[in-house]
Amino acid sequence: MTTLRTSFPLSLFSKNTTAYRDYIEQLAGVADIKINGDRPWDIRVHDERTYQRIISHGSLGAGEAYMQGWWDCESLDEMFTRILATGINEAVETRGVLKLVIAARLQNLQTPKRSVDVAQKHYNISPNLYASMLDQRMIYSCGYWANATTLNEAQEHKLDLVCRKLRLEPGMEVLDIGCGWGGAAKFAAERYGVKVTGITISSEQGATAKAVCKGLPVDIVIDDYRSLSGTYDAIFSIGMFEHVGYKNYATYFDVVSRLLKPDGLFLLHSIGTNLSVTMTDPWIERYIFPNSMLPSAAQITAAYEKKFV
């Protein structure tokens, strides 16, 4: 596919509404997506305001227009794959992105106080919402599908892979940074006979995790990772690093290095990006993971230099 990486000043479109549609059709065509086409990945537009909304507000505008029923698509996964593969999403400038860039550069968006605010909005709600879309252990991260056919199997295989990589043995003391609803801590304690300390900043997650792990050698602590003390034979973090923020990567690894025994193992499980960024997508920021940021391999390795082998 041809890659398109262009931009345009919004002023050119201020008095020409037809130009909005023409430009979006041009971009979509690069990804072999037709407007009002009949293929599963084609976009069907129900409101002409969609084009201006996307150009004015990028991914945030596109997502909110979809929520309002202005457009739809039968196969969203195929459509987004085509968009991302060709890079046409980068051809739309947005005002929202500029605001996020400025905020990310000037502020630490993932301070302890801000992290608690995220927990309040995102995690301190009824676990029923998450139970309806996650596996039976409520593991809020990707599964391991090499030999799995169901979500429950994929998550169990992932947890077992984590434990095997850490070479867990009965009696070991293990730290779970960002323990969520306790599924991983329970699995490690039950299957591998280890003692687990799980940490979360969400009181709702903490309460659920304590109930889930009742009767097992699992201690659930509601606190920020920066406040931890003690030493552990092994440490793992599954799907939490996306909330750390690039300004805190070095601090995060300093904490892990301090808590890990000299011959201990640490496993980091995270979504990643192939570009080093200092902000997140506006749509994800507002509706999916507030104050989140996907790390690149370069950012991770730079942050743990001289701390790990």
Side-chain angles (χ1 to χ4, degrees), residues 97-277:
V97 168
L98 180 60
K99 289 174 64 178
L100 284 174
V101 169
I102 294 173
R105 292 290 176 85
L106 298 182
Q107 305 175 53
N108 182 350
L109 299 179
Q110 290 81 21
T111 62
K113 181 182 183 304
R114 285 178 178 271
S115 296
V116 172
D117 290 341
V118 172
Q120 284 291 114
K121 297 175 182 177
H122 190 70
Y123 293 111
N124 285 354
I125 60 177
S126 171
N128 293 335
L129 168 66
Y130 296 99
S132 68
M133 67 178 182
L134 302 178
D135 68 305
Q136 61 186 11
R137 292 186 175 86
M138 292 177 66
I139 304 300
Y140 200 12
S141 56
C142 67
Y144 181 49
W145 290 90
N147 298 299
T149 57
T150 68
L151 181 58
N152 286 332
E153 288 180 349
Q155 294 294 13
E156 179 169 325
H157 293 180
K158 189 264 294 293
L159 295 178
D160 191 61
L161 179 62
V162 167
C163 292
R164 286 188 285 115
K165 282 180 174 286
L166 290 171
R167 302 175 187 174
L168 298 187
E169 295 180 0
M172 281 186 170
E173 296 194 3
V174 180
L175 174 63
D176 178 357
I177 302 178
C179 66
W181 296 276
K186 181 181 180 182
F187 181 90
E190 286 182 332
R191 298 291 181 90
Y192 285 82
V194 297
K195 301 176 182 179
V196 184
T197 297
I199 182 169
T200 175
I201 56 172
S202 165
S203 57
E204 188 68 37
Q205 283 188 334
T208 300
K210 288 179 181 178
V212 165
C213 298
K214 186 177 181 180
L216 292 169
V218 176
D219 183 25
I220 302 298
V221 179
I222 301 173
D223 204 349
D224 188 275
Y225 70 91
R226 285 161 281 211
S227 302
L228 289 172
S229 60
T231 56
Y232 299 88
D233 298 296
I235 300 175
F236 64 83
S237 181
I238 300 176
M240 174 272 184
F241 197 68
E242 299 88 339
H243 289 296
V244 170
Y246 81 105
K247 289 191 174 183
N248 304 303
Y249 292 160
T251 299
Y252 177 91
F253 289 118
D254 281 337
V255 170
V256 174
S257 179
R258 171 169 52 82
L259 299 173
L260 191 64
K261 292 181 180 179
D263 59 347
L265 291 175
F266 167 55
L267 185 143
L268 178 66
H269 176 304
S270 175
I271 303 172
T273 178
N274 59 352
L275 292 174
S276 296
V277 299

Side-chain angles (χ1 to χ4, degrees), residues 282-300:
W283 164 262
I284 293 176
E285 168 69 24
R286 178 172 295 184
Y287 291 104
I288 309 300
F289 285 120
N291 266 8
S292 65
M293 183 178 299
L294 302 187
S296 70
Q299 289 171 322
I300 292 175

